[in-house]
Amino acid sequence: MATPSDKSVIWIGSSKKDLMALPVGVRKFFGHALDFSQRGEQHDAAKILHGFGGAGVLEVVEDDIGGTYRAVYTVKFAEAVFVLHCSQKKSKRGIATPKEDMDIIHARLKIAEAFAKELRK
């Protein structure tokens, strides 16, 4: 249940549309993990996504019969939880996040930072 201290979730780029294209069970799992973040907690499945200089960018990975899926979000800003990327994992090299996905996440993190600055005003 939402409380006044819960952070809002803000979707950057196509992240919400991309989430809605995922299987229902995966969407529910990601929603549950985001709910934890809104309350200032970290879901057990949330892991730090390396390459972003600290614990501010998190990744949740969920398996489904159709494949493996990931949601990436940041709790770096006090103003909101920003969802940066949702996708089906397609890495051919083990658990590595593909460069194209990392580029999208970096670009959307910059957008989230600008958005957070605007919210502070």
Side-chain angles (χ1 to χ4, degrees):
M1 184 177 305
T3 66
S5 63
D6 284 355
K7 291 182 180 182
S8 297
V9 171
I10 297 177
W11 304 87
I12 304 296
S14 63
S15 59
K16 187 166 190 178
K17 178 179 77 83
D18 297 339
L19 175 79
M20 297 311 290
L22 302 182
V24 173
V26 173
R27 292 196 316 249
K28 286 182 180 180
F29 185 79
F30 288 165
H32 186 63
L34 288 171
D35 181 62
F36 270 70
S37 292
Q38 285 182 272
R39 292 182 277 123
E41 300 171 24
Q42 184 173 321
H43 190 279
D44 288 343
K47 306 290 182 229
I48 296 167
L49 183 60
H50 298 286
F52 293 91
V57 178
L58 302 172
E59 171 185 53
V60 178
V61 176
E62 177 67 347
D63 291 319
D64 178 77
I65 196 157
T68 301
Y69 303 87
R70 88 171 12 116
V72 178
Y73 57 96
T74 184
V75 293
K76 189 174 181 176
F77 310 108
E79 292 73 19
V81 175
F82 292 91
V83 181
L84 305 174
H85 192 52
C86 295
S87 64
Q88 183 169 6
K89 212 171 157 212
K90 295 179 181 140
S91 176
K92 304 293 185 253
R93 297 177 307 278
I95 62 170
T97 303
K99 182 186 182 319
E100 301 80 34
D101 286 354
M102 292 297 281
D103 291 346
I104 290 168
I105 295 164
H106 276 286
R108 290 181 180 174
L109 183 60
K110 287 180 181 163
I111 293 167
E113 186 171 14
F115 203 131
K117 283 181 184 174
E118 284 299 312
L119 290 173
R120 281 182 218 130
K121 292 181 181 179

